[in-house]
Short mmCIF file of all heavy atoms in Angstrom, two decimals:
data_model
loop_
_atom_site.label_atom_id
_atom_site.label_comp_id
_atom_site.label_asym_id
_atom_site.label_seq_id
_atom_site.Cartn_x
_atom_site.Cartn_y
_atom_site.Cartn_z
N LEU B 61 -36.29 -80.93 3.25
CA LEU B 61 -36.36 -79.53 2.85
C LEU B 61 -36.17 -78.65 4.04
O LEU B 61 -36.93 -78.79 5.02
CB LEU B 61 -37.67 -79.26 2.13
CG LEU B 61 -38.00 -77.79 1.87
CD1 LEU B 61 -37.05 -77.22 0.83
CD2 LEU B 61 -39.45 -77.67 1.41
N ALA B 62 -35.26 -77.71 3.96
CA ALA B 62 -35.10 -76.66 4.99
C ALA B 62 -35.27 -75.33 4.31
O ALA B 62 -34.56 -75.05 3.33
CB ALA B 62 -33.75 -76.79 5.67
N ARG B 63 -36.15 -74.50 4.78
CA ARG B 63 -36.41 -73.24 4.13
C ARG B 63 -35.37 -72.17 4.39
O ARG B 63 -35.33 -71.12 3.77
CB ARG B 63 -37.80 -72.73 4.56
CG ARG B 63 -38.94 -73.63 4.12
CD ARG B 63 -40.26 -73.20 4.70
NE ARG B 63 -41.37 -74.04 4.31
CZ ARG B 63 -41.63 -75.23 4.85
NH1 ARG B 63 -40.88 -75.67 5.83
NH2 ARG B 63 -42.62 -75.93 4.37
N LYS B 64 -34.47 -72.42 5.32
CA LYS B 64 -33.37 -71.54 5.64
C LYS B 64 -32.25 -72.29 6.26
O LYS B 64 -32.37 -73.51 6.48
CB LYS B 64 -33.86 -70.47 6.68
CG LYS B 64 -34.45 -71.05 7.96
CD LYS B 64 -34.87 -69.93 8.88
CE LYS B 64 -33.65 -69.23 9.52
NZ LYS B 64 -34.08 -68.31 10.57
N ALA B 65 -31.14 -71.65 6.44
CA ALA B 65 -29.95 -72.29 7.01
C ALA B 65 -30.27 -72.89 8.35
O ALA B 65 -30.89 -72.25 9.19
CB ALA B 65 -28.82 -71.29 7.17
N ASP B 66 -29.86 -74.15 8.52
CA ASP B 66 -30.12 -74.77 9.79
C ASP B 66 -29.03 -75.73 10.14
O ASP B 66 -28.08 -75.90 9.41
CB ASP B 66 -31.53 -75.54 9.83
CG ASP B 66 -31.51 -76.73 8.92
OD1 ASP B 66 -30.54 -76.94 8.18
OD2 ASP B 66 -32.48 -77.46 9.00
N GLY B 67 -29.14 -76.36 11.31
CA GLY B 67 -28.08 -77.23 11.80
C GLY B 67 -27.80 -78.41 10.92
O GLY B 67 -26.69 -78.91 10.79
N PHE B 68 -28.86 -79.00 10.31
CA PHE B 68 -28.63 -80.16 9.47
C PHE B 68 -27.81 -79.83 8.26
O PHE B 68 -27.00 -80.65 7.79
CB PHE B 68 -29.96 -80.79 9.06
CG PHE B 68 -29.77 -82.07 8.35
CD1 PHE B 68 -29.58 -83.24 9.07
CD2 PHE B 68 -29.76 -82.16 6.99
CE1 PHE B 68 -29.39 -84.47 8.43
CE2 PHE B 68 -29.57 -83.39 6.30
CZ PHE B 68 -29.37 -84.51 7.07
N GLY B 69 -27.97 -78.61 7.71
CA GLY B 69 -27.15 -78.16 6.58
C GLY B 69 -25.71 -78.15 6.95
O GLY B 69 -24.82 -78.61 6.17
N ASP B 70 -25.39 -77.69 8.14
CA ASP B 70 -23.99 -77.70 8.62
C ASP B 70 -23.52 -79.09 8.84
O ASP B 70 -22.36 -79.43 8.49
CB ASP B 70 -23.94 -76.93 9.98
CG ASP B 70 -24.10 -75.43 9.81
OD1 ASP B 70 -23.99 -74.96 8.64
OD2 ASP B 70 -24.30 -74.73 10.80
N TYR B 71 -24.38 -79.94 9.37
CA TYR B 71 -23.98 -81.36 9.57
C TYR B 71 -23.69 -82.05 8.24
O TYR B 71 -22.69 -82.77 8.11
CB TYR B 71 -25.13 -82.10 10.32
CG TYR B 71 -24.76 -83.45 10.83
CD1 TYR B 71 -23.51 -83.78 11.28
CD2 TYR B 71 -25.78 -84.42 10.91
CE1 TYR B 71 -23.25 -85.09 11.80
CE2 TYR B 71 -25.53 -85.70 11.41
CZ TYR B 71 -24.29 -85.99 11.82
OH TYR B 71 -24.01 -87.24 12.33
N ALA B 72 -24.56 -81.84 7.27
CA ALA B 72 -24.33 -82.39 5.93
C ALA B 72 -22.99 -81.91 5.33
O ALA B 72 -22.25 -82.67 4.70
CB ALA B 72 -25.47 -82.01 5.00
N ALA B 73 -22.69 -80.65 5.58
CA ALA B 73 -21.44 -80.08 5.04
C ALA B 73 -20.22 -80.76 5.73
O ALA B 73 -19.23 -81.01 5.07
CB ALA B 73 -21.39 -78.56 5.26
N LEU B 74 -20.31 -81.01 7.02
CA LEU B 74 -19.23 -81.70 7.74
C LEU B 74 -19.06 -83.06 7.18
O LEU B 74 -17.94 -83.56 7.03
CB LEU B 74 -19.52 -81.65 9.22
CG LEU B 74 -19.43 -80.36 9.98
CD1 LEU B 74 -19.83 -80.54 11.44
CD2 LEU B 74 -18.07 -79.77 9.88
N ILE B 75 -20.16 -83.76 7.01
CA ILE B 75 -20.06 -85.14 6.44
C ILE B 75 -19.51 -85.11 5.05
O ILE B 75 -18.65 -85.98 4.67
CB ILE B 75 -21.45 -85.77 6.43
CG1 ILE B 75 -21.95 -85.99 7.87
CG2 ILE B 75 -21.49 -87.11 5.68
CD1 ILE B 75 -23.37 -86.48 7.98
N ARG B 76 -19.85 -84.14 4.18
CA ARG B 76 -19.33 -84.04 2.89
C ARG B 76 -17.80 -83.74 2.93
O ARG B 76 -17.05 -84.34 2.13
CB ARG B 76 -20.00 -82.91 2.14
CG ARG B 76 -19.50 -82.66 0.71
CD ARG B 76 -20.36 -81.62 0.01
NE ARG B 76 -19.91 -81.42 -1.33
CZ ARG B 76 -19.25 -80.36 -1.76
NH1 ARG B 76 -18.98 -79.35 -0.92
NH2 ARG B 76 -18.88 -80.24 -2.99
N LYS B 77 -17.39 -82.95 3.85
CA LYS B 77 -15.97 -82.66 3.96
C LYS B 77 -15.24 -83.89 4.42
O LYS B 77 -14.12 -84.18 4.01
CB LYS B 77 -15.75 -81.50 4.99
CG LYS B 77 -14.31 -81.12 5.16
CD LYS B 77 -14.18 -79.96 6.18
CE LYS B 77 -12.74 -79.59 6.38
NZ LYS B 77 -12.61 -78.44 7.35
N GLY B 78 -15.82 -84.64 5.35
CA GLY B 78 -15.26 -85.88 5.82
C GLY B 78 -14.44 -85.75 7.10
O GLY B 78 -13.67 -84.73 7.24
N PHE B 79 -14.70 -86.62 8.03
CA PHE B 79 -13.88 -86.66 9.29
C PHE B 79 -13.96 -88.07 9.75
O PHE B 79 -14.72 -88.88 9.21
CB PHE B 79 -14.37 -85.69 10.35
CG PHE B 79 -15.83 -85.84 10.70
CD1 PHE B 79 -16.22 -86.67 11.74
CD2 PHE B 79 -16.83 -85.16 10.02
CE1 PHE B 79 -17.57 -86.81 12.09
CE2 PHE B 79 -18.19 -85.31 10.36
CZ PHE B 79 -18.53 -86.18 11.42
N ALA B 80 -13.17 -88.42 10.74
CA ALA B 80 -13.08 -89.78 11.22
C ALA B 80 -14.46 -90.28 11.62
O ALA B 80 -15.16 -89.72 12.45
CB ALA B 80 -12.13 -89.91 12.41
N GLY B 81 -14.93 -91.39 10.95
CA GLY B 81 -16.25 -91.92 11.27
C GLY B 81 -17.38 -91.40 10.44
O GLY B 81 -18.50 -91.95 10.53
N SER B 82 -17.13 -90.37 9.63
CA SER B 82 -18.24 -89.78 8.89
C SER B 82 -18.78 -90.72 7.81
O SER B 82 -19.87 -90.48 7.25
CB SER B 82 -17.84 -88.41 8.29
OG SER B 82 -16.77 -88.65 7.35
N ASP B 83 -18.02 -91.72 7.40
CA ASP B 83 -18.46 -92.70 6.45
C ASP B 83 -18.79 -94.00 7.12
O ASP B 83 -18.99 -95.06 6.46
CB ASP B 83 -17.47 -92.91 5.37
CG ASP B 83 -16.12 -93.39 5.91
OD1 ASP B 83 -15.92 -93.38 7.15
OD2 ASP B 83 -15.23 -93.76 5.13
N GLY B 84 -18.93 -93.99 8.48
CA GLY B 84 -19.27 -95.20 9.21
C GLY B 84 -20.68 -95.37 9.51
O GLY B 84 -21.55 -94.58 9.03
N PRO B 85 -21.06 -96.35 10.34
CA PRO B 85 -22.47 -96.65 10.57
C PRO B 85 -23.21 -95.71 11.42
O PRO B 85 -24.44 -95.77 11.50
CB PRO B 85 -22.38 -98.05 11.28
CG PRO B 85 -21.05 -98.01 11.96
CD PRO B 85 -20.13 -97.27 11.05
N HIS B 86 -22.51 -94.76 12.09
CA HIS B 86 -23.21 -93.85 13.04
C HIS B 86 -23.44 -92.47 12.43
O HIS B 86 -23.99 -91.60 13.16
CB HIS B 86 -22.37 -93.76 14.32
CG HIS B 86 -22.08 -95.09 14.90
ND1 HIS B 86 -23.09 -95.96 15.30
CD2 HIS B 86 -20.91 -95.72 15.22
CE1 HIS B 86 -22.58 -97.05 15.79
NE2 HIS B 86 -21.26 -96.94 15.75
N ALA B 87 -23.08 -92.28 11.19
CA ALA B 87 -23.38 -91.01 10.46
C ALA B 87 -24.43 -91.27 9.40
O ALA B 87 -24.44 -92.32 8.77
CB ALA B 87 -22.15 -90.41 9.85
N PRO B 88 -25.34 -90.32 9.19
CA PRO B 88 -26.31 -90.54 8.10
C PRO B 88 -25.66 -90.42 6.72
O PRO B 88 -24.60 -89.83 6.55
CB PRO B 88 -27.29 -89.39 8.35
CG PRO B 88 -26.48 -88.32 8.97
CD PRO B 88 -25.50 -89.04 9.86
N ARG B 89 -26.24 -91.15 5.76
CA ARG B 89 -25.75 -91.01 4.35
C ARG B 89 -26.51 -89.91 3.67
O ARG B 89 -27.72 -89.92 3.54
CB ARG B 89 -25.99 -92.33 3.66
CG ARG B 89 -25.18 -93.47 4.20
CD ARG B 89 -23.69 -93.30 3.84
NE ARG B 89 -22.88 -94.35 4.47
CZ ARG B 89 -22.32 -94.30 5.72
NH1 ARG B 89 -22.53 -93.20 6.45
NH2 ARG B 89 -21.63 -95.26 6.17
N VAL B 90 -25.76 -88.90 3.22
CA VAL B 90 -26.35 -87.81 2.49
C VAL B 90 -25.86 -87.92 1.05
O VAL B 90 -24.67 -87.70 0.77
CB VAL B 90 -25.95 -86.42 3.09
CG1 VAL B 90 -26.58 -85.29 2.31
CG2 VAL B 90 -26.35 -86.37 4.55
N HIS B 91 -26.76 -88.27 0.13
CA HIS B 91 -26.39 -88.57 -1.25
C HIS B 91 -26.30 -87.34 -2.12
O HIS B 91 -25.57 -87.33 -3.11
CB HIS B 91 -27.40 -89.55 -1.83
CG HIS B 91 -27.59 -90.81 -1.10
ND1 HIS B 91 -26.51 -91.55 -0.61
CD2 HIS B 91 -28.70 -91.43 -0.63
CE1 HIS B 91 -26.98 -92.61 0.03
NE2 HIS B 91 -28.27 -92.57 0.11
N ASP B 92 -27.12 -86.34 -1.84
CA ASP B 92 -27.13 -85.14 -2.70
C ASP B 92 -27.60 -83.96 -1.86
O ASP B 92 -28.37 -84.13 -0.91
CB ASP B 92 -28.09 -85.37 -3.89
CG ASP B 92 -27.87 -84.37 -5.00
OD1 ASP B 92 -26.88 -83.61 -4.99
OD2 ASP B 92 -28.70 -84.34 -5.91
N LEU B 93 -27.21 -82.75 -2.29
CA LEU B 93 -27.60 -81.54 -1.64
C LEU B 93 -27.73 -80.39 -2.66
O LEU B 93 -26.90 -80.29 -3.54
CB LEU B 93 -26.59 -81.17 -0.55
CG LEU B 93 -26.88 -79.90 0.29
CD1 LEU B 93 -26.30 -80.04 1.70
CD2 LEU B 93 -26.25 -78.66 -0.36
N SER B 94 -28.79 -79.65 -2.50
CA SER B 94 -29.00 -78.49 -3.41
C SER B 94 -29.33 -77.27 -2.57
O SER B 94 -30.08 -77.39 -1.59
CB SER B 94 -30.13 -78.79 -4.34
OG SER B 94 -30.47 -77.62 -5.14
N VAL B 95 -28.78 -76.14 -2.92
CA VAL B 95 -29.02 -74.86 -2.28
C VAL B 95 -29.69 -73.90 -3.28
O VAL B 95 -29.12 -73.63 -4.31
CB VAL B 95 -27.74 -74.21 -1.74
CG1 VAL B 95 -28.06 -72.99 -0.93
CG2 VAL B 95 -26.97 -75.20 -0.85
#
Side-chain angles (χ1 to χ4, degrees):
L61 168 67
R63 295 172 180 82
K64 56 179 288 188
D66 69 350
F68 187 82
D70 289 345
Y71 190 33
L74 289 176
I75 292 172
R76 178 174 183 253
K77 181 180 180 181
F79 57 90
S82 62
D83 57 352
H86 306 302
R89 294 290 176 269
V90 181
H91 305 311
D92 196 11
L93 181 150
S94 174
V95 184

